[in-house]
Amino acid sequence: MYHVLMTAASGQYQEWQSRTAYYHYKKQKKLNPCSEMGGFTRLLGMPDGRADGMMDEIPTLLVKQLRHGAPPGGSIPGPGEPEDFDYHFIVMNRPWGMLQFLETEHYK
């Protein structure tokens, strides 16, 4: 079985994109109930870890966003140093959210 994962953040465009993706997921699952389509999870990355207004509408797992910017000195962290910066590349939150998902009970 396949499980659909969608990364998302806050904002009107992200909400529209999430609703559209979930609508089409449900439509396809209803049309093909015996298919390999499993569940759907929206990985919501929020800087303060708070829920949004779509938590009751779409199955969602809250994940932490990376801190914006770079660590002091701007260099890539060495062993034992924090690795939770986005280095001004906001889409780094997508794989970061996936890593967090893999460590949850939702995955196991």
Side-chain angles (χ1 to χ4, degrees):
M1 263 209 179
Y2 296 95
H3 190 97
V4 178
L5 290 175
M6 175 183 189
T7 58
S10 62
Q12 276 188 327
Y13 176 75
Q14 292 279 318
E15 288 179 8
W16 173 84
Q17 191 176 44
S18 297
R19 280 192 175 103
T20 302
Y22 190 55
Y23 167 82
H24 285 285
Y25 160 81
K26 290 191 310 184
K27 180 180 174 183
Q28 289 303 311
K29 190 160 174 104
K30 185 176 181 179
L31 287 171
N32 302 295
C34 295
S35 73
E36 294 290 316
M37 287 181 71
F40 184 102
T41 303
R42 178 178 70 128
L43 302 177
L44 177 62
M46 298 290 275
D48 55 5
R50 66 178 161 76
D52 68 357
M54 297 175 61
M55 297 283 291
D56 294 330
E57 184 180 339
I58 300 173
T60 302
L61 177 68
L62 284 172
V63 293
K64 281 181 53 180
Q65 277 189 341
L66 293 165
R67 290 187 279 175
H68 186 66
S75 62
I76 295 175
E81 294 179 331
E83 299 178 357
D84 60 344
F85 289 92
D86 69 6
Y87 292 88
H88 305 284
F89 190 60
I90 193 76
V91 295
M92 288 295 295
N93 283 300
R94 292 178 181 174
W96 182 247
M98 291 292 295
L99 286 172
Q100 292 174 69
F101 171 78
L102 294 174
E103 295 173 353
T104 68
E105 292 300 317
H106 284 83
Y107 176 71
K108 298 170 182 169

